[in-house]
Amino acid sequence: MEEEMLYVEGTSMCMGDGVNSEDSYCAEMEIEENEIGSPKNEIQRLTSEKGEGSNVVFSREGPLVSKESRRCGVYRCGAKKLKSHVVVIESEIGNKENIGHDRKLTKQDRIDLGRLFQGAVSSHDWELAESLILLADPQTLNDTLCITLDSIWFLSTQQELHGITGLIKKIIANGAYDFTRAALRTSFLASCVSACQSRTMSLADTVTVMAQRLHERLQECNGDEVLKAEAGAKVQKFTEWALKCIGFHSRCQGNRERVSHNSAIEIQLQLSAFKTFLDLAGNQLTGKDFTEAFDAACFPLTLFSSSFDPGWASGISATAIQGLLGMLVEGGADNVNQCFLEASRFGSTELVRILLQIAQRNSLDVDVDLALGFASHYCKIGTMECLVEEGNAIAFLGPLMRAAERGCMQVLQWFVNRGCRDMELCLALTAATSSSQVDVAAYLLPHVPQHVLAALSIEILKAAGERSGGSLDGVAFLLRSDFLGDPAASYAVADTIARSDDEAVAPELRAFLQEHWSEAAFLDGLRQGEEHYMNLVRILNWGGSPMCIRDLPGPLKVAIAYLPLYRECVAAGGSLFSQRLRGQLVEAVRRLGGGSLEGVSQGKELLAILEHHLPPFLVNTHSIG
C-alpha cells in the first residue's frame, strides 16, 4: 500500500523572521493506514507478556519539508500569501477533475495542503482553514483532524476554543473518519505537554531525559537486541515529534526555551475542546480505542517521571492529564490497573498518584499490594512510600522476603523502618539464610524477638536448608552468631536436626550439621585433637630433624603445634565455633595446661587461652573482641 505523507508546519507569524526552518514545523508524520496505536506497544512486542491493549502502533515520523517548499518559503509567509497559495492549489486540484468524496489527492497535493492548513490553524485564520477543508480528500481530512486536535492543548482563549471546535465539527462533517488515530496521537501529545510543564527545564534537557529513560526501559525488556533497537528508534522518533510540536507552540507563545505553564482556565478550555471531539466521535470510538488512548497518555509520563518535582500530580501542571485520563476512563478504558502496575514497576510515582486518584473517583480496583511488589523489586523507594501512604498497601511479607532473598538492603531497611510483624521478620530472616545473604541475615537477626527464634529455631534451619540451593553459608552464619542467644540451645538445635530421621530435612543440611555442629562432631574434634597431640609427642621423641624442637622456646613449640588451629578459628569468626573446632580447641587447651575448663568451654574463652600461649608476633590482636 502506498505510503502517504502529512506535513504539519507553522508559519512565521508568531515567531519572527529569524527562526530556523527546521524549527518552524510542528509535526511531520508518515501515515500508514490501518496501523495506528501506541509507542509502548513497540516495547511490549519485545516481551512475552500480553497486555490489554491492541497490537497497533503509532505512525512514524516522516522526512522533513521538501526542498521546493523550503525554497519558496510558503510556510513562513503571511496570511495573504497563504491565501494566494490556496488559490493555486485549488486551481490545480480542480483541473485534475477529482471532485467529490471519491477524489484522491497526490502526495504533493497532500503535502502542500497539510502545510497550509497547519499554517492557518497556527495563525488562527479559521476562515482560511475551513476553505482548505473543502479541498481535502478523505485521507487528508483525517490528517487535518489530527492537526486540529493536537492544537487544542495549546489554546488559551475562548475565541481559540470556538475556532478549533468549529474546525473539528466541519472536518468530521466533511468525511473524516479516523477517530482512533486522532485520539491516540493527541493523548500522547497531551501527556508530553503536561510532563514538560513539570519543572523549569529547557526542551533540549527534556529530550535528553526522555532518551535516557527510554534506553533504561528498553534495557529492562527481554528480547533480541536488534528488535529492541528498532523499537527504541520508533518510539524515540515519535516522542521527539511531540517535543518538536511543543517547542513550536511554545515559541508561538513567546517562550523560546521553556514550556509555558497553563492556567486553570486555559486547561478547562483545552479539556472542553477534547470533550467536544469525544462527543462528535460518539460510538465511532470503541472501548478498545479508549484503552489504547489511555495507554498512550500514560506512556510518556513513565519516561519523564525522573524529572518531576515531588507533588507534581497535585499541581496545576497535571490537571490536564488528569482530566484527559478521567474522560478516557468514562469512555471505556479498562486498563487502569495495568498502567498502574507498570507505573509502579518503573518508579513513576507521580503517575501512580494520579492513577490512584482516578481509580478512587471512578470506584475502580487497582492492586496496590501487587504494585508494591513491583516497586520494591526494582527498588523504587518513592513509589513504595506513595503506595503505602496513599494507596494503603499492607502486604509487606512477599516484597520483604524477596528483598531478603536478593540481598536488597535498601528495600529491606525501608520495610523494617516502616514496621513489620515479628513473623514477617522471622520469615525474611529465613529467606536471607536460605539464599546465603549473610549481610541481610546479620541485619535482620537483632530485629527478630528471641522467643520467636526459640519457638521456630528448628523450622528456620530446616527451611533454610531445603531452599539453600547448595550453599549452607547462611545456616553456618546463624549458628556461629549464636542466633538463640544461648550457646547450649544453639548447639542443641543443630544436634537435634543432625540426628533427626525426618524426611523433611534436606540431606545436605543433615550431613553438614553432622560433620560440623553435632555432638558427634564435638567428640570427633576431641579425637582429632588427641591424635594431633600424640603425633607431636612422637616427633619430639623420635624425630630425626637436625633442629631439636624440644630445645625451642615454649611459645614457638606451641606455635608449631597449634598455629593452624588458631588461624582456622580466627577465620571462622562469630560467637560460637563449630562443634568440630570446639572439640579441637578443648583438647588443645587441656594439653596446654589450661586448668579447669568449666564455664570456659565456648569459643572466645577457649581461643583466649590458646592465644595466651602463642608468641605475640603471631597473634591476631583483633581476633578476640
Side-chain angles (χ1 to χ4, degrees):
M1 184 178 296
E2 179 185 1
E3 292 181 339
E4 300 172 325
M5 296 186 180
L6 165 66
Y7 290 85
V8 186
E9 302 168 354
T11 70
S12 62
M13 299 177 65
C14 301
M15 297 180 293
D17 296 333
V19 180
N20 187 299
S21 62
E22 185 175 349
D23 294 333
S24 66
Y25 73 95
C26 172
E28 300 168 355
M29 302 300 296
E30 182 179 327
I31 301 161
E32 296 177 350
E33 296 180 26
N34 301 320
E35 198 174 359
I36 310 151
S38 138
K40 195 185 80 172
N41 290 329
E42 292 287 351
I43 294 178
Q44 286 179 329
R45 288 178 175 181
L46 299 173
T47 69
S48 58
E49 301 172 356
K50 293 184 178 179
E52 298 176 28
S54 70
N55 62 347
V56 291
V57 297
F58 264 117
S59 305
R60 297 189 300 272
E61 186 185 21
L64 299 178
V65 182
S66 63
K67 293 181 179 178
E68 291 76 14
S69 298
R70 288 183 178 177
R71 283 198 298 268
C72 72
V74 173
Y75 58 89
R76 295 174 61 187
C77 64
K80 291 183 179 180
K81 286 191 176 181
L82 280 173
K83 292 177 181 179
S84 66
H85 200 66
V86 170
V87 174
V88 175
I89 291 183
E90 185 176 9
S91 174
E92 291 176 352
I93 294 176
N95 291 338
K96 295 172 185 175
E97 299 181 355
N98 290 327
I99 307 299
H101 289 292
D102 294 333
R103 67 180 181 270
K104 182 177 178 63
L105 300 182
T106 65
K107 181 193 293 188
Q108 189 58 48
D109 287 337
R110 288 187 63 203
I111 292 174
D112 292 339
L113 190 59
R115 175 164 38 81
L116 291 170
F117 184 80
Q118 175 67 74
V121 172
S122 300
S123 59
H124 303 156
D125 191 336
W126 314 121
E127 180 183 355
L128 175 58
E130 288 184 3
S131 68
L132 290 169
I133 292 172
L134 299 176
L135 302 177
D137 63 2
Q139 185 57 52
T140 308
L141 284 170
N142 292 329
D143 300 342
T144 59
L145 178 61
C146 287
I147 296 170
T148 308
L149 197 59
D150 289 345
S151 67
I152 69 175
W153 307 112
F154 308 96
L155 62 83
S156 57
T157 67
Q158 188 70 40
Q159 289 180 329
E160 293 173 13
L161 171 65
H162 180 74
I164 288 176
T165 53
L167 282 182
I168 294 174
K169 293 175 182 177
K170 191 172 188 66
I171 292 169
I172 293 175
N174 277 269
Y177 58 87
D178 198 348
F179 300 101
T180 300
R181 178 165 68 94
L184 298 185
R185 169 170 147 157
T186 203
S187 297
F188 183 88
L189 179 61
S191 181
C192 291
V193 171
S194 291
C196 289
Q197 292 175 344
S198 65
R199 60 187 296 182
T200 54
M201 66 176 179
S202 68
L203 285 171
D205 292 337
T206 304
V207 171
T208 302
V209 170
M210 176 275 302
Q212 180 180 355
R213 287 287 290 164
L214 178 59
H215 175 73
E216 292 171 357
R217 183 161 184 178
L218 286 170
Q219 291 302 112
E220 294 174 351
C221 295
N222 298 320
D224 181 82
E225 291 299 323
V226 175
L227 294 178
K228 286 164 66 172
E230 292 177 353
K234 291 179 181 179
V235 175
Q236 184 162 347
K237 282 184 177 180
F238 199 93
T239 309
E240 287 177 350
W241 159 79
L243 295 177
K244 288 176 181 177
C245 188
I246 294 169
F248 165 74
H249 283 281
S250 296
R251 288 188 293 273
C252 282
Q253 295 169 349
N255 301 293
R256 287 185 171 271
E257 294 297 332
R258 303 188 184 280
V259 181
S260 62
H261 290 251
N262 293 325
S263 66
I265 296 176
E266 291 171 337
I267 291 173
Q268 290 306 313
L269 293 175
Q270 294 162 8
L271 292 175
S272 175
F274 185 69
K275 183 65 166 60
T276 298
F277 163 73
L278 294 181
D279 292 341
L280 292 170
N283 59 10
Q284 297 296 316
L285 285 173
T286 66
K288 177 182 175 182
D289 295 330
F290 281 103
T291 296
E292 283 289 338
F294 192 94
D295 194 59
C298 290
F299 180 74
L301 299 179
T302 65
L303 294 183
F304 291 109
S305 61
S306 61
S307 67
F308 289 160
D309 294 324
W312 173 82
S314 58
I316 190 66
S317 298
T319 305
I321 196 64
Q322 286 177 326
L324 170 68
L325 292 175
M327 282 188 272
L328 294 176
V329 169
E330 292 173 3
D334 61 2
N335 57 338
V336 177
N337 188 54
Q338 178 187 343
C339 292
F340 175 72
L341 295 176
E342 188 163 284
S344 300
R345 174 189 174 187
F346 288 99
S348 304
T349 305
E350 297 303 317
L351 177 57
V352 167
R353 186 169 283 118
I354 287 176
L355 294 178
L356 276 173
Q357 296 168 1
I358 289 175
Q360 292 166 359
R361 282 197 295 266
N362 293 274
S363 300
L364 300 175
D365 291 329
V366 287
D367 197 335
V368 292
D369 290 327
L370 181 57
L372 180 63
F374 280 132
S376 63
H377 183 80
Y378 291 97
C379 203
K380 307 299 183 182
I381 301 298
T383 304
M384 292 165 60
E385 292 177 351
C386 174
L387 291 168
V388 172
E389 295 175 1
E390 300 175 37
N392 300 315
I394 57 174
F396 284 12
L397 179 57
L400 178 68
M401 290 185 64
R402 285 188 289 274
E405 289 172 347
R406 299 194 321 273
C408 187
M409 188 67 77
Q410 184 181 9
V411 170
L412 197 76
Q413 290 173 336
W414 184 87
F415 276 116
V416 172
N417 293 333
R418 293 291 306 189
C420 297
R421 293 188 289 270
D422 293 344
M423 198 60 203
E424 291 174 332
L425 293 171
C426 183
L427 290 172
L429 175 64
T430 304
T433 303
S434 65
S435 301
S436 296
Q437 298 289 351
V438 174
D439 291 341
V440 171
Y443 171 76
L444 286 171
L445 186 57
H447 291 86
V448 183
Q450 281 296 321
H451 71 274
V452 175
L453 291 173
L456 298 172
S457 57
I458 292 179
E459 298 305 320
I460 291 172
L461 295 183
K462 284 169 60 178
E466 183 181 359
R467 299 196 299 266
S468 65
S471 173
L472 294 169
D473 290 347
V475 172
F477 167 78
L478 285 185
L479 293 171
R480 288 198 308 269
S481 301
D482 187 16
F483 75 115
L484 295 180
D486 178 2
S490 296
Y491 281 134
V493 167
D495 186 62
T496 299
I497 299 175
R499 291 185 291 104
S500 172
D501 56 1
D502 186 354
E503 294 181 357
V505 177
E508 296 84 358
L509 175 64
R510 181 185 289 110
F512 172 75
L513 295 177
Q514 287 174 347
E515 181 180 356
H516 297 282
W517 291 91
S518 65
E519 283 294 329
F522 174 72
L523 296 175
D524 189 55
L526 288 174
R527 180 188 56 79
Q528 291 177 4
E530 185 176 0
E531 289 182 355
H532 180 68
Y533 178 77
M534 295 305 298
N535 288 332
L536 288 172
V537 170
R538 293 187 185 101
I539 292 173
L540 290 173
N541 292 333
W542 300 298
S545 172
M547 180 181 67
C548 187
I549 299 178
R550 185 186 298 275
D551 296 334
L552 291 175
L556 286 181
K557 287 189 287 187
V558 174
I560 292 172
Y562 294 114
L563 185 60
L565 175 61
Y566 169 78
R567 287 177 173 172
E568 185 178 359
C569 292
V570 170
S575 301
L576 299 182
F577 294 130
S578 71
Q579 289 281 44
R580 182 185 61 82
L581 277 179
R582 189 171 75 93
Q584 294 180 43
L585 266 177
V586 168
E587 180 64 19
V589 170
R590 188 175 69 84
R591 295 295 182 177
L592 291 172
S596 174
L597 298 180
E598 184 179 355
V600 290
S601 59
Q602 311 305 335
K604 291 184 178 180
E605 296 88 346
L606 292 168
L607 190 62
I609 295 173
L610 175 58
E611 191 172 274
H612 178 73
H613 290 81
L614 291 171
F617 66 89
L618 293 177
V619 171
N620 183 346
T621 56
H622 302 289
S623 64
I624 302 176

